Amino acid sequence: MQQIIDRLNTEVKIPKKAKCIVSVSGGADSMMLLFLLKQTDYQIEVVHFNHLKREQSTDEADLVKSYCEQNNIPFHYYFIKVDEGNFHHKAHKLRIHYLKEAAKVTKSTYIFTAHHLDDLFENVLMKITRGSNLLGYAGMQLAHKEKTIHYVKPLLYTTKQEILAFVKENQIPFLDDESNEENNYLRNRYRHAVVPIMKQENSNLLNQIGQYNMQVTKAFKFIRKTTLSLLTNKKEIDLSTFQTLDPAIQEDMIAYLLEAHHFNISYDMIMHIKEMLLQNKPNARYQLSETHFFTRTYKKASIKEIFKKNVDEIEVKNGENKLTNVAIFTFLNNSNTPTEELEKLCYNKLAFPFILRHRKNGDKLAYSYGHKKLKDLFINKKVPMDKRDQLWVLTDQNNEILWVQDFYLNQTLGDEHCVYFNLKESKHA
């Protein structure tokens, strides 16, 4: 199994004295991984999780702890409890959270897990069933980096059969996870029902899955490298460039932005967004979740938070009016000492008190030559769609629009009386 360590040195390029966290369950896979890693110069520390679901969990913890003590390896023990919902998904997220926490505490930059070739095959089948993007269809990566942490799967191209033979030959202690025999989870159903049939058709199937993974991963990395070279701003897409690109690069640009916001990606989602971005409409949106949408605004596309109004309308009082945590509207009725910071609105007759709200369908602005839709003003000024929803509109009780933040002041109302106001917004709450 020297090729496993060689791959870490040549492909992943892990420094000799690197600080590493190893996730060890006590099963054959992770115990073999620990056995191999303790023979390297890496500074390894073990993390073990108890999911509090099986009586055997305590035995597994004792096994791993004892092995670490015998080999002078630091041991970290975490309890994970998932009360309801998708156990596998939630437990996985919690494990990642605690692995990152352990890496931070120990100043480690590498996290090792013991996923193997059989796991990879099952993952590929699950991704095909559920839908994914190019990298997702590869199943897993031998190594990838998120922020400062490298996630590494040294056994990814090693079969379960090879692992069992290795632990037997080297007398490595381990315990079987009995839950792997249950059919409650999709992965287990593939393992017990689908995979054996496919292996009967091709005895070399797992090796071919490994080759498939390598080829798809290489293709993805080539496309992603091209994508990043063209994305000058990593947070948005320049649509004038986007429309000239190969479809594979277009789709990966979309995927890159979705990944950056941690969305689960499907090919259908990417294609819907791509179709939106290639349309001639200056403004369009694709809702990603309750909190975000993918938006195109003229020549730019990006992911934005959905603006939620705290209130529908605010009755303006004399003095300071707190609109949000970051916005204060100051209103002075008939002030004798207006400052330069205040806007001046003159009128003959208006219905008080004034109202602050956001735009509504049918809003119209008064000019000396007639009326104009607020929507048309925004279009002419090329105001992004998401910003339109956030701008404040000042009206009187008869819904006469007096002012639109940054863009309009009604100058058709006369000059017998004047009021003064301004809006101050800070970038941070």
Side-chain angles (χ1 to χ4, degrees), residues 196-209:
I197 294 173
M198 298 182 74
K199 284 182 177 178
Q200 287 176 11
E201 296 296 325
N202 183 355
S203 59
N204 196 39
L205 177 65
L206 289 178
N207 287 330
Q208 291 187 343
I209 289 296

Side-chain angles (χ1 to χ4, degrees), residues 71 104 120 159 178 188 227 247 299 315 341-343:
N71 291 277
K104 183 178 180 181
L120 172 61
T159 67
E178 297 168 352
N188 288 8
T227 293
K299 292 298 180 181
E315 185 176 296
E341 294 182 357
L342 298 176
E343 291 209 54

Side-chain angles (χ1 to χ4, degrees), residues 313-365:
E313 294 183 347
I314 295 174
E315 185 176 296
V316 176
K317 298 177 182 178
N318 203 46
E320 289 190 348
N321 298 262
K322 186 176 181 181
L323 308 184
T324 66
N325 288 336
V326 295
I328 294 177
F329 186 83
T330 302
F331 178 79
L332 300 175
N333 192 353
N334 295 320
S335 171
N336 294 321
T337 57
T339 69
E340 293 181 359
E341 294 182 357
L342 298 176
E343 291 209 54
K344 180 180 178 181
L345 174 72
C346 295
Y347 64 95
N348 291 340
K349 186 177 180 180
L350 287 173
F352 286 84
F354 291 169
I355 297 294
L356 271 168
R357 60 170 173 80
H358 297 288
R359 69 174 180 140
K360 294 180 180 178
N361 290 335
D363 276 345
K364 290 185 178 180
L365 310 175

Side-chain angles (χ1 to χ4, degrees), residues 218-232 234 241 245-246 248-250 252-253 256:
K218 287 174 185 175
F220 167 79
K221 287 182 176 179
F222 175 78
I223 292 171
R224 179 54 57 89
K225 184 178 180 181
T226 307
T227 293
L228 293 177
S229 70
L230 295 168
L231 268 178
T232 53
K234 299 299 187 288
T241 301
L245 299 175
D246 183 271
I249 306 301
Q250 291 176 335
D252 192 55
M253 279 189 172
Y256 177 81

Side-chain angles (χ1 to χ4, degrees), residues 300-314:
K300 302 291 181 184
S302 60
I303 294 174
K304 300 282 189 181
E305 280 192 66
I306 294 175
F307 174 68
K308 292 187 177 180
K309 302 175 185 177
N310 291 332
V311 290
D312 291 329
E313 294 183 347
I314 295 174

Side-chain angles (χ1 to χ4, degrees), residues 14 22 25 84 87 95 126 179 214 237 242 271 273 290 299 335 342 350 387 401:
I14 301 176
V22 190
S25 67
E84 56 185 21
F87 172 79
R95 287 196 299 271
M126 291 171 70
S179 66
M214 292 178 191
I237 295 171
F242 180 85
M271 295 308 290
I273 295 170
E290 293 182 357
K299 292 298 180 181
S335 171
L342 298 176
L350 287 173
K387 185 177 180 182
I401 294 181

